Amino acid sequence: QVQLVESGGGLVQPGGSLRLSCAASGFTFSRYAMQWYRQAPGKERELVAGITSTGGSTGGSTKYADSVKGRFTISRANAKNTVYLQMNSLKTEDTAVYICNAARGIVDYWGQGTQVTVSS
């Protein structure tokens, strides 16, 4: 049974930091590209950050939405079947449900999400 379980969300003040985790099970984690998406109320889901699978010459390459470049860092620990999102210098506009995604070819899996609220 495939599972993606996010954790680490919460309430933080502007300028603060959070580290999200996504624990994966039920599939070969290292072969999947991993992504973090977010969805704010009334807005479409958007890609925040992604990291490629660790096979091949481009293994572990990362990409970021322009709005989070320089503030967020995605990483993965294949030994722990976990992907992380380190979020620094948080802004009120970062408030959203953050959702983990695993993708390989036409197959993808989604977590349930974790709420991040940035407010003073």
Side-chain angles (χ1 to χ4, degrees):
Q1 182 182 1
V2 171
Q3 283 193 310
L4 293 173
V5 180
E6 301 95 335
S7 61
L11 174 64
V12 63
Q13 292 186 340
S17 298
L18 283 174
R19 187 196 196 200
L20 306 183
S21 299
C22 172
S25 60
F27 62 98
T28 306
F29 179 77
S30 63
R31 295 181 181 177
Y32 282 69
M34 300 299 298
Q35 285 72 230
W36 285 97
Y37 286 78
R38 68 185 180 187
Q39 188 161 20
K43 295 187 177 181
E44 292 188 356
R45 185 173 294 185
E46 65 169 338
L47 176 65
V48 175
I51 186 167
T52 60
S53 62
T54 50
S57 60
T58 60
S61 297
T62 58
K63 61 181 177 182
Y64 298 93
D66 287 343
S67 58
V68 307
K69 280 181 182 176
R71 300 189 297 122
F72 290 11
T73 303
I74 188 171
S75 61
R76 65 190 299 159
N78 287 345
K80 297 183 178 181
N81 287 356
T82 301
V83 62
Y84 304 97
L85 186 68
Q86 178 67 44
M87 306 186 295
N88 299 329
S89 302
L90 282 160
K91 305 176 181 180
T92 55
E93 52 262 43
D94 294 319
T95 295
V97 175
Y98 284 71
I99 306 159
C100 179
N101 168 262
R104 183 173 186 238
I106 63 171
V107 177
D108 67 344
Y109 306 119
W110 295 89
Q112 293 297 308
T114 185
Q115 176 70 45
V116 171
T117 303
V118 185
S119 175
S120 55

